[in-house]
Amino acid sequence: MQLAPSRAFPSVQEGDDPFLALWSHRYDYLWAEHPNPDERPEWQTESRHPLSDRLLQQGAMLYGVRFGPTTRYCVLDVDKGSAYHPTRDRFAWRRLVAALEVLGLVQAIICTSSYSGGLHLYFPFDTEQKTWAIALAVSTLLENNGFKLAPGQLEVFPNCKAYVTSGEHSLYNGHRLPMQAGSYLLNQDLQMIWGNQETFVQHWQFAQQRNSLDTKALERILKAARRRQFRVTGKADKFLNDLNAEIEQGWTGAGQTNRLLGRIAMRSYIFGHVLYTDKPLEGNALVHDIVTIAQALPGYHDWCQHQQEVEKRAQDWMQAIEQSHYFHYGTDKRPAELSPVRPDESESSWNQQQQAEARARIQQAVANLLGKSALPSGITERFDVLITCGLSGATLYRHRDLWHPRHLQNTTIGAIQSAVEPDCSWAASGSTSHTNLLGENGCNSLPEGSSSPLECLEPGTIGCNSAPIGALSQAETRNMTQEEGIAYIKQVLKQVEARRQVEIAQKRQRLAGQDQLALPFDQETP
């Protein structure tokens, strides 16, 4: 019977042992029996419980540790047969140290790894850093200086883990702990000196004081390394640079919050793992990233008029970008609901059901406001009123065709006005002018003198090429009650949506050949 990993019952800690305190991450540790002379240990991983202080003190086995999400040190491993070992290149280890000076790592603790004669170079530093960032930065600097990272030659701990898109959990490589059998401290001339765990701690503390990690240099190295790692070139690189140009200037006036938050959300969702995180940003992590970046931009405190609700706005944009046709750069796959290969499966997906329910709520809200003659004509005003009906900003952004005046111009207006005369009980009186139930200004108005809204529209336009199914005559619409009129408007809205679905299905067929980096949101948003 196998026991599940348990992190709820920690082992007894020896709080007064500074050597044991250096190795804070004890899960998924390595262990092996002491090997015979000239034999390599057979390492195994223990995932059922963490490595305890007392097991380490007992010393009945050889032990190694891995890295957690953050770290305060890194290790370089040079095997005895490596081209960089002192027996083959006496100055290689100094070149290794020099390569990391740009990060502020100037002092290494050098010790033999085991009786094999390999070297371990420990670089402790003063501030805790993200493990993936240290792994990538150190590896990049070494490769830029001509070193080849490979087992048996030169290895870096923590290592750069392969990017996994399937959700599988991967571990950092583990390294053998120092000052076990065969491990001895070396001086700057690589001569063995007597030492124990207390001596190792003294060397550690001295090196830590000298290694002041340069966070700005770390950020510069990571940006260049992540782009190279994901091969961000061509159109993707231009798109990323365009987003940077819009974002980095920050706020320069009022009315820019929605636009900026949308661009930040897009960059973080598509390129966040390319630029500064170890995995793609989604959900709450994406919201936090949007808010953090926005608050750090120039002009935020002077010009952003939504500081009190910036997190809510960021959440709306998170939902919008996650349900758009965009995907994380490097994953090379689009969301299932937009895949033209399996339309039947995507239509019946949970996301499609949620979208259908959301559209029904919007239709109901618009119908209720029409019944009360309370649907504003302005874009922002209409958006704000619909928010009060229990609809989120993200939902309204995704389904603007159901309420936005510009989107409704060529769809619902023609169909509704062709069947409902202006002298209905819930509309303005008078039959000499075209009354627009969805507003009277801007793009909502109909051309003067047109004999019929349908006649002036180009045939073949989705939602405008024919009267709605079961359209009522003018005499019938004049005798409608308010409830009947609202029900009829809802019916028309549903028919318009059905026609729009036909258009969406046609667009899906063209989506595969289109540029995946087109903006998902219209330029004009409330």
Side-chain angles (χ1 to χ4, degrees):
M1 181 181 68
Q2 292 186 344
L3 298 177
S6 174
R7 297 171 187 256
F9 298 93
S11 58
V12 178
Q13 295 183 344
E14 302 295 342
D16 58 348
D17 192 323
F19 177 80
L20 298 179
L22 300 178
W23 325 110
S24 58
H25 186 78
R26 304 288 186 85
Y27 295 102
D28 302 300
Y29 68 89
L30 303 175
W31 68 275
E33 295 184 358
H34 291 284
N36 295 321
D38 300 326
E39 290 184 0
R40 299 177 64 89
E42 297 182 359
W43 292 102
Q44 301 182 54
T45 297
E46 177 58 76
S47 301
R48 294 172 297 180
H49 57 83
L51 177 61
S52 69
D53 288 352
R54 293 183 177 181
L55 277 177
L56 281 172
Q57 289 178 329
Q58 188 181 50
M61 301 284 182
L62 294 175
Y63 294 106
V65 295
R66 302 182 189 272
F67 291 82
T70 59
T71 182
R72 286 180 177 268
Y73 73 98
C74 62
V75 186
L76 305 185
D77 180 15
V78 182
D79 278 7
K80 179 61 181 295
S82 169
Y84 311 124
H85 193 271
T87 56
R88 299 181 61 182
D89 185 343
R90 57 185 298 190
F91 298 114
W93 76 272
R94 295 186 183 275
R95 289 176 49 227
L96 289 171
V97 176
L100 303 185
E101 286 184 359
V102 66
L103 274 178
L105 304 181
V106 298
Q107 184 69 41
I109 307 169
I110 311 172
C111 62
T112 57
S113 59
S114 65
Y115 287 119
S116 67
L119 298 183
H120 278 181
L121 282 73
Y122 289 82
F123 290 87
F125 38 85
D126 52 356
T127 56
E128 196 168 47
Q129 301 292 329
K130 293 180 179 178
T131 302
W132 72 266
I134 293 298
L136 180 57
V138 171
S139 298
T140 299
L141 288 176
L142 293 176
E143 290 174 342
N144 289 347
N145 282 270
F147 293 100
K148 299 299 181 182
L149 304 182
Q153 292 293 321
L154 175 62
E155 294 184 78
V156 175
F157 300 91
N159 61 299
C160 291
K161 294 193 296 183
Y163 177 65
V164 178
T165 60
S166 61
E168 297 177 359
H169 179 62
S170 59
L171 301 173
Y172 288 102
N173 293 340
H175 67 87
R176 183 198 301 240
L177 287 174
M179 311 314 295
Q180 298 184 95
S183 177
Y184 297 96
L185 286 169
L186 304 179
N187 60 19
Q188 295 299 303
D189 296 324
L190 300 185
Q191 299 296 319
M192 287 187 183
I193 58 176
W194 172 250
N196 52 21
Q197 292 181 354
E198 293 180 0
T199 310
F200 183 88
V201 171
Q202 294 173 3
H203 283 72
W204 182 285
Q205 294 172 346
F206 174 76
Q208 192 174 47
Q209 292 175 356
R210 296 201 60 198
N211 293 334
S212 180
L213 197 134
D214 189 336
T215 55
K216 291 185 177 180
L218 178 63
E219 291 177 0
R220 290 196 303 269
I221 295 168
L222 290 177
K223 283 186 177 180
R226 296 293 273 183
R227 288 200 181 196
R228 184 179 67 179
Q229 185 182 36
F230 282 85
R231 296 184 176 90
V232 182
T233 58
K235 292 182 179 180
D237 190 56
K238 180 183 182 301
F239 180 45
L240 177 57
N241 289 330
D242 290 346
L243 290 174
N244 288 336
E246 290 198 68
I247 294 171
E248 298 305 329
Q249 191 175 357
W251 278 260
T252 56
Q256 299 176 346
T257 298
N258 271 338
R259 178 74 178 181
L260 277 171
L261 291 182
R263 289 301 176 266
I264 296 171
M266 189 182 300
R267 186 182 69 177
S268 297
Y269 181 76
I270 301 172
F271 296 110
H273 61 292
V274 176
L275 299 175
Y276 47 78
T277 65
D278 59 336
K279 59 183 179 181
L281 292 169
E282 295 178 344
N284 292 333
L286 178 58
V287 172
H288 176 75
D289 190 68
I290 295 170
V291 173
T292 301
I293 292 175
Q295 292 175 340
L297 288 178
Y300 171 80
H301 297 286
D302 295 329
W303 294 108
C304 178
Q305 299 175 346
H306 301 277
Q307 297 180 36
Q308 72 282 1
E309 57 176 357
V310 65
E311 186 169 349
K312 176 62 171 61
R313 298 254 174 164
Q315 189 173 25
D316 290 342
W317 278 109
M318 175 272 291
Q319 295 173 352
I321 190 66
E322 286 189 349
Q323 298 189 31
S324 70
H325 69 274
Y326 280 80
F327 50 87
H328 307 299
Y329 187 83
T331 60
D332 195 28
K333 70 176 181 180
R334 66 187 58 187
E337 63 271 16
L338 292 174
S339 174
V341 180
R342 298 181 296 172
D344 294 338
E345 295 181 14
S346 62
E347 289 295 333
S348 61
S349 67
W350 183 85
N351 284 337
Q352 290 293 335
Q353 295 176 18
Q354 293 295 104
Q355 289 185 16
E357 293 176 2
R359 296 182 71 83
R361 292 197 303 272
I362 295 176
Q363 291 170 349
Q364 182 65 51
V366 170
N368 292 340
L369 291 171
L370 285 171
K372 300 175 183 178
S373 298
L375 186 67
S377 60
I379 299 173
T380 302
E381 292 79 6
R382 186 174 296 181
F383 177 85
D384 292 338
V385 168
L386 289 172
I387 286 289
T388 64
C389 297
L391 299 167
S392 70
T395 299
L396 293 174
Y397 280 128
R398 289 194 299 274
H399 305 291
R400 293 190 299 280
D401 58 298
L402 297 180
W403 64 270
H404 197 292
R406 179 163 58 82
H407 287 273
L408 290 169
Q409 178 186 12
N410 293 326
T411 53
T412 57
I413 296 175
I416 293 174
Q417 284 196 277
S418 67
V420 183
E421 275 292 299
D423 57 355
C424 290
S425 60
W426 65 91
S429 62
S431 60
T432 59
S433 63
H434 294 285
T435 301
N436 187 345
L437 300 180
L438 300 175
E440 299 180 352
N441 67 332
C443 61
N444 295 359
S445 61
L446 291 172
E448 290 293 329
S450 58
S451 58
S452 170
L454 296 179
E455 293 174 1
C456 67
L457 296 177
E458 178 184 354
T461 302
I462 297 297
C464 301
N465 59 338
S466 63
I469 300 173
L472 303 179
S473 66
Q474 294 183 1
E476 290 173 317
T477 57
R478 290 191 185 99
N479 297 324
M480 278 185 178
T481 65
Q482 178 174 345
E483 290 76 11
E484 292 172 339
I486 293 174
Y488 182 70
I489 292 174
K490 291 169 63 176
Q491 178 186 0
V492 172
L493 287 173
K494 291 181 179 179
Q495 294 169 8
V496 171
E497 168 59 14
R499 296 187 182 111
R500 185 170 180 81
Q501 289 300 324
V502 174
E503 181 183 18
I504 293 174
Q506 294 172 347
K507 288 184 177 180
R508 282 188 181 137
Q509 300 300 324
R510 301 192 299 268
L511 186 60
Q514 292 178 348
D515 184 1
Q516 293 297 313
L517 296 177
L519 301 182
F521 306 113
D522 288 346
Q523 298 294 326
E524 181 183 354
T525 56

